[in-house]
Amino acid sequence: MAKSASHPEPLDRPAQKPDGPGDTASTNPGPLDRPAHKPDGPGGRIPGPRPTNAGPGRVLVAVYGLFALAATARAAVQIATKFHEAPLAYLLSALAGVVYILATVALARSDRRFAVLCCSVELVGVLAVGTASVIDRGAFPDATVWSGYGQGYGFVPLVLPVLGLLWLRRTGRA
Amino acid sequence: MTPHGVGTAIIVTALLAAAWCLVTTLRKHAIGIGELIAMGVVQALVMAQIVISVVHLAQGQRPQSLVTFVGYLVAIFVILPAAGVLARLEPTRWGALIATIGCAVVAVLIVRLNQVWTGVG
């Protein structure tokens, strides 16, 4: 690795841009496929909503994608192999999977209104199914992603839509 | 029975890689070549696990749910490359967080893989 005398920090990492300690938004443009938006540091604010798929948003897209995969695959296996055992639970699993897929796409494409809709449906879903599964365990003989408020998935399904909506609100402020 | 030795090795290295990426995240850095190599080591072990699992299946051993088991194998195979690509697309601390999550998820999936094989849970 060539030692760059102009680089002020003794780092062994090439071509990286560490975030400044005060940069909470951390949307510094990288060398790769960055959309041409400015970091909103003090004084660097641009008008209009920011994209939802950069910075922390990319983490959201990744986790949403993961859950889209997990929920859809799980529902597909359940419906294909043992649908008669718990039709309602498996259909809810499939619904959850579809909502996660749509939310992933909406966030990745910065489709703000659709993303809000998806996250809201998801929040209502996890609260409704979570409550129903706690009150009446018999109604859900087999677990879904949303059973017990997402207990089987470390409560991530409960936290995710909240984070999504907070992120959408934050990026939406011009 | 999947060999627990490889599974344990994956869990340990994946958690170590996750811890490394988490430190990078907390230091507000993007991941560098070191973290990528760590993820590569985990991925190499994952490939070994997949080969071993396929050999077991070819020998006629069957998990409780074959479809689920194969699904987990595919997921485990895909996670780290996907996390690595996303982390490089996002050369900030948030990319490092994606790498952290990817490594942690691999560890969890290995635990689930063993459960699916033995039929527990």
Side-chain angles (χ1 to χ4, degrees):
Chain A
M1 219 22 54
K3 286 197 178 88
S4 162
S6 65
H7 203 297
E9 294 175 64
L11 292 171
D12 59 344
R13 306 158 192 282
Q16 66 151 349
K17 307 195 172 187
D19 301 342
D23 178 16
T24 52
S26 148
T27 51
N28 46 347
L32 291 161
D33 69 338
R34 256 14 193 15
H37 66 276
K38 290 277 295 167
D40 71 341
R45 215 164 254 280
I46 51 162
R50 288 189 286 140
T52 60
N53 59 359
R58 186 121 38 190
V59 182
L60 269 181
V61 172
V63 178
Y64 264 106
L66 185 69
F67 271 83
L69 181 78
T72 312
R74 180 175 192 171
V77 170
Q78 287 172 333
I79 288 175
T81 59
K82 46 180 183 178
F83 181 65
H84 58 278
E85 283 180 25
L88 178 61
Y90 299 154
L91 284 177
L92 280 170
S93 280
L95 174 70
V98 171
V99 173
Y100 283 124
I101 292 173
L102 294 177
T104 308
V105 173
L107 284 169
R109 298 179 60 190
S110 295
D111 189 343
R112 182 172 298 283
R113 284 172 63 189
F114 195 49
V116 170
L117 178 68
C118 290
C119 289
S120 305
V121 169
E122 200 192 320
L123 186 57
V124 171
V126 70
L127 289 176
V129 174
T131 307
S133 64
V134 168
I135 291 175
D136 182 10
R137 293 196 174 276
F140 294 90
D142 203 352
T144 74
V145 190
W146 287 340
S147 296
Y149 304 105
Q151 203 171 12
Y153 293 80
F155 294 105
V156 175
L158 181 62
V159 178
L160 208 49
V162 177
L163 287 179
L165 288 172
L166 285 175
W167 173 242
L168 283 162
R169 200 178 74 154
R170 185 168 156 179
T171 53
R173 276 196 298 242
Chain B
M1 193 64 210
T2 47
H4 279 293
V6 178
T8 307
I10 296 174
I11 292 169
V12 171
T13 50
L15 290 180
L16 284 174
W20 188 357
C21 292
L22 182 62
V23 169
T24 306
T25 307
L26 296 177
R27 291 178 65 207
K28 299 176 180 176
H29 288 169
I31 62 165
I33 205 74
E35 290 90 334
L36 282 177
I37 289 173
M39 291 166 80
V41 169
V42 179
Q43 184 69 12
L45 288 170
V46 164
M47 311 273 261
Q49 169 75 73
I50 291 172
V51 169
I52 291 165
S53 300
V54 170
V55 168
H56 277 278
L57 291 176
Q59 287 172 346
Q61 301 183 56
R62 284 291 176 270
Q64 286 284 317
S65 167
L66 180 63
V67 188
T68 311
F69 185 79
V70 173
Y72 271 96
L73 283 185
V74 173
I76 292 171
F77 178 71
V78 169
I79 294 284
L80 278 182
V85 168
L86 275 174
R88 295 298 277 181
L89 286 177
E90 179 68 40
T92 65
R93 75 179 108 152
W94 303 111
L97 183 56
I98 292 173
T100 307
I101 294 170
C103 293
V105 166
V106 165
V108 172
L109 285 184
I110 290 292
V111 174
R112 285 288 299 146
L113 189 72
N114 282 325
Q115 290 176 344
V116 171
W117 184 273
T118 55
V120 180

